[in-house]
């Protein structure tokens, strides 16, 4: 449609840049909870699991791009006393594990450049 005579012509929409969604370096989406397996040795399949980006906030995008994410049951993600969003110690544990996994193929300096600091 020709919009040249309109007072307020519609602007062209910009295409959103699609983000790469890499697989998790630590855990496969198969119904199990990463922390149930790690802390309890429980490999049971859960009906509901949530994706958790290990480095959240301003680093969430970097977590997605580098595969720093795990799948967690509701108890370990948001609901329980040891949930990563309720327990700072559990969050620190995931930060350390995530950094160690990243440093298997990269240097610590590269990690710090991306995520801002070292968690080890």
């Amino acid at each position: 449609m020709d919009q040249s005579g309109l007072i307020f012509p519609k602007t062209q929409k910009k295409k959103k840049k699609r983000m790469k969604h890499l697989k998790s370096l630590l855990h496969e989406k198969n119904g199990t909870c990463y922390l149930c397996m790690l802390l309890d040795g429980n490999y049971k399949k859960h009906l509901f699991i949530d994706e958790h980006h290990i480095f959240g906030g301003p680093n969430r995008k970097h977590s997605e791009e580098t595969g720093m994410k795990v799948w967690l049951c509701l108890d370990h993600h948001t609901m329980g006393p040891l949930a990563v969003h309720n327990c700072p110690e559990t969050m620190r544990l995931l930060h350390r594990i995530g950094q160690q996994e990243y440093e298997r193929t990269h240097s610590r300096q590269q990690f710090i450049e991306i995520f801002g600091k070292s968690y080890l």
Side-chain angles (χ1 to χ4, degrees):
M1 175 175 156
D2 182 25
Q3 298 181 8
S4 58
L6 297 176
I7 297 174
F8 300 107
K10 291 184 179 180
T11 59
Q12 293 292 329
K13 290 184 180 179
K14 292 182 181 178
K15 278 190 169 185
K16 283 188 177 181
K17 186 177 179 183
R18 294 202 43 101
M19 184 188 306
K20 288 183 183 177
H21 293 279
L22 293 180
K23 283 182 160 180
S24 171
L25 293 178
L26 299 167
H27 185 222
E28 179 179 323
K29 183 182 179 183
N30 59 6
T32 58
C33 169
Y34 182 75
L35 288 175
C36 283
M37 294 186 307
L38 182 71
L39 301 175
D40 306 328
N42 179 356
Y43 291 81
K44 169 182 114 169
K45 304 265 184 188
H46 295 272
L47 191 56
F48 298 105
I49 54 172
D50 293 332
E51 181 181 55
H52 175 72
H53 294 83
I54 294 175
F55 304 100
N59 288 320
R60 180 185 172 103
K61 179 179 160 190
H62 301 302
S63 285
E64 185 69 49
E65 291 170 347
T66 56
M68 291 288 126
K69 55 190 176 182
V70 292
W71 296 94
L72 301 175
C73 67
L74 296 177
D75 280 344
H76 282 118
H77 191 227
T78 56
M79 302 294 192
L82 293 177
V84 290
H85 290 287
N86 295 336
C87 179
E89 189 55 42
T90 306
M91 182 65 81
R92 279 192 287 277
L93 174 66
L94 279 182
H95 285 161
R96 288 192 300 268
I97 291 170
Q99 182 173 349
Q100 288 170 346
E101 185 64 30
Y102 186 83
E103 289 181 1
R104 293 171 107 199
T105 56
H106 300 81
S107 71
R108 180 160 298 169
Q109 187 57 37
Q110 288 173 312
F111 180 87
I112 293 170
E113 286 173 11
I114 293 174
F115 293 103
K117 70 176 190 175
S118 174
Y119 294 90
L120 299 178

